[in-house]
């Protein structure tokens, strides 16, 4: 099968700080690095490194050829990444010594993906393929609806969180992934608990506490603990988790096994500085399990 990812592509400019700035405060950075990033690109790289065939659907500006080349190096199919008359997206990421971060995103080309590029890409999809979307691109609801009509397994990572964006795609979803704060916000917006939402599978990520999987078909609500590590940078950990869950589903793993594997990958990711360029591969996971 194939994982189709309508996803963002960013240049991540990462600044290491002694502490995150408060309102009105200026903090001098200790380090500065640049990485391939964007929630979409991170997920594509994670799924590819987890052994899946991944086709990325997106857009960059004339300054973004390097990002396409980097994705290709990491095993991602880049044929459906358009070059548009907008700057490539970028993010300014501040990371403090504890690993916590603050992120400012400029969408740029990520919100200008041509609809015909999306249609052409999905014309190659097969029933049973996976489609993943996040809230960093245009055309989310239309693409989710098209994927649903085609018989794809439609997945949505609800970040950056916006209740309206989630509600627009909710009728078409087979899998919803969100963190605990986002789950609470969605419950408030919809006026009902997350366990009552009409989505077959819901995964709530809990950071250092692991994850929670709710399956509507069985009514089960299962907790998964996380491996204990000392985090140095949490940027991209959730995207790594999502990519590995999707790759596990793609390879036919039971959901519980896919989540456990994704937890392990995320636990490695938080011990590394950076985003897509440092996402662990299957060998990294296997080395821990020996």
């Amino acid at each position: 099968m194939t994982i189709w990812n309508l996803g963002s592509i960013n240049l991540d400019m990462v600044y290491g700080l002694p502490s995150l700035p408060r309102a009105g405060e200026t903090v001098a950075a200790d380090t500065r690095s640049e990485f391939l990033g964007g929630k979409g690109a991170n997920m594509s790289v994670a799924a590819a490194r987890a052994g899946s065939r991944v086709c990325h659907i997106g857009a960059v500006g004339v300054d973004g050829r390097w990002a396409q080349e980097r994705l290709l190096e990491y095993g991602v199919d880049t044929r459906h990444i358009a070059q548009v008359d907008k700057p490539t997206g970028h993010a300014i990421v501040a990371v403090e010594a504890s690993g916590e971060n603050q992120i400012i995103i400029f969408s740029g080309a990520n919100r200008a993906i041509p609809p015909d590029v999306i249609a052409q890409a999905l014309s190659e999809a097969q029933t049973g393929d996976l489609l993943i979307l996040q809230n960093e691109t245009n055309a989310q609801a239309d693409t989710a609806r098209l994927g649903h009509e085609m018989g794809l397994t439609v997945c949505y990572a609800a970040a950056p969180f916006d209740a309206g964006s989630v509600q627009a795609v909710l009728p078409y979803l087979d899998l919803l992934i969100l963190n605990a704060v986002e789950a609470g916000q969605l419950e408030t917006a919809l006026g009902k608990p997350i366990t009552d939402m009409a989505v077959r599978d819901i995964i709530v990520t809990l950071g250092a506490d692991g994850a929670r999987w709710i399956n509507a078909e069985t009514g089960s609500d299962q907790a998964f603990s996380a491996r204990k590590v000392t985090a140095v940078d949490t940027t991209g950990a959730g995207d790594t988790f999502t990519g590995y869950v999707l790759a596990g589903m793609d390879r036919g793993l039971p959901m519980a096994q896919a989540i456990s594997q994704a937890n392990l990958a995320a636990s490695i990711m938080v011990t590394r500085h950076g985003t897509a360029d440092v996402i662990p591969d299957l060998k990294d996971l296997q080395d821990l399990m020996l």
Side-chain angles (χ1 to χ4, degrees), residues 9-10 36 60 64-72 78 88:
I9 301 170
N10 286 344
L36 172 66
V60 295
R65 182 175 294 277
W66 68 271
Q68 291 176 271
E69 293 173 350
R70 193 82 58 86
L71 282 165
L72 191 61
T78 61
T88 301

Side-chain angles (χ1 to χ4, degrees), residues 195-233:
T195 50
D196 290 348
M197 295 178 192
V199 179
R200 185 184 67 204
D201 291 298
I202 298 174
I203 298 174
V204 181
T205 59
L206 305 171
D209 293 325
R212 174 187 175 198
W213 168 41
I214 301 157
N215 179 263
E217 292 179 345
T218 64
S220 63
D221 190 339
Q222 187 172 349
F224 296 80
S225 60
R227 172 173 166 260
K228 301 305 179 185
V229 297
T230 300
V232 300
D233 185 355

